Amino acid sequence: MIMADGISNLCNDLQVNPDDIVMLVLAWEMRAETMCEFSKQEFIGGVQSLEIDSMEKFKKKIPILRSQLKDEDTFRDIYNFAFDWAKEKGQKSLALETGIALWQLLFAEFKWPLVDQWCQFIQERHNKAISRDLWLQLLEFARTVDSTLSNYDAEGAWPWLLDEFVEYLIETGACTEKSDE
């Protein structure tokens, strides 16, 4: 088992920051079950599937791993993977702090302009663990609702927390209320 210290050493060898999103992509490629851990099977299977047999080849794979985030379907797969990978063993939900850190990491890559407001809102108004449904629906919301909320449908099937988020954005003046023309 490669634990946090070993992963930190790997990051040093790869000249990659441990909190770089490429490490999440690597964990996804290796089908890692737990954050900050690679089992021997996960690691060996991952490097074999990536055709890595030297540190030099590993370093050359980093930009390729990073570029996978540009593909919409792959990004969605990595986003969905992150939920199970990051939650504590035996838990159904994701710890709030972990969810916020992952949202900031993932949505910085996705370039969702409302990520900071979302993270502030979720801390102020929700302050609970993140359910899988909310995790999955937030990506769909970020992909389909523009940052001005001009195409937000209050009658849509969003979880109530996303409806409250829209109200929060309007209350705080981050977005103006959509006019019904």
Side-chain angles (χ1 to χ4, degrees):
M1 187 69 87
I2 300 173
M3 304 301 279
D5 288 345
I7 292 173
S8 181
N9 291 339
L10 175 63
C11 289
N12 288 338
D13 292 345
L14 294 172
Q15 299 169 334
V16 172
N17 195 321
D19 61 4
D20 188 315
I21 195 166
V22 78
M23 293 308 294
L24 172 58
V25 179
L26 180 62
W28 172 74
E29 282 283 357
M30 293 189 174
R31 294 170 175 71
E33 287 187 19
T34 307
M35 186 166 45
C36 300
E37 292 180 10
F38 291 128
S39 70
K40 183 177 180 181
Q41 182 180 354
E42 290 166 349
F43 189 81
I44 291 172
V47 295
Q48 285 176 339
S49 73
L50 291 168
E51 300 176 353
I52 296 170
D53 60 8
S54 69
M55 191 51 69
E56 197 55 42
K57 284 185 181 177
F58 214 144
K59 287 178 183 177
K60 287 181 179 178
K61 282 288 181 184
I62 297 298
I64 295 164
L65 292 171
R66 192 180 307 283
S67 72
Q68 290 181 326
L69 292 162
K70 292 179 181 7
D71 178 77
E72 195 173 311
D73 292 333
T74 303
F75 181 87
R76 184 185 318 110
D77 289 347
I78 292 167
Y79 180 90
N80 293 344
F81 161 82
F83 182 87
D84 286 323
W85 173 74
K87 69 182 174 64
E88 295 289 325
K89 288 179 183 173
Q91 296 296 309
K92 291 184 178 184
S93 299
L94 185 61
L96 179 67
E97 304 77 34
T98 305
I100 288 171
L102 282 171
W103 279 324
Q104 289 172 329
L105 182 70
L106 287 156
F107 284 128
E109 191 66 34
F110 187 74
K111 296 181 176 36
W112 185 41
L114 298 175
V115 67
D116 291 337
Q117 289 96 327
W118 168 255
C119 291
Q120 184 176 344
F121 163 79
I122 203 80
Q123 283 180 298
E124 288 176 10
R125 304 276 177 102
H126 184 62
N127 203 22
K128 292 185 215 159
I130 308 303
S131 70
R132 177 184 308 282
D133 182 52
L134 178 61
W135 181 264
L136 298 175
Q137 289 295 316
L138 184 64
L139 178 60
E140 192 59 30
F141 182 89
R143 291 174 51 169
T144 59
V145 177
D146 71 38
S147 62
T148 65
L149 308 177
S150 64
N151 62 343
Y152 172 73
D153 179 7
E155 303 300 316
W158 298 113
W160 64 271
L161 204 54
L162 288 171
D163 290 330
E164 283 191 13
F165 175 57
V166 169
E167 290 174 21
Y168 171 84
L169 290 172
I170 293 167
E171 282 171 22
T172 60
C175 291
T176 56
E177 198 160 0
K178 185 175 105 172
S179 60
D180 296 323
E181 294 174 9

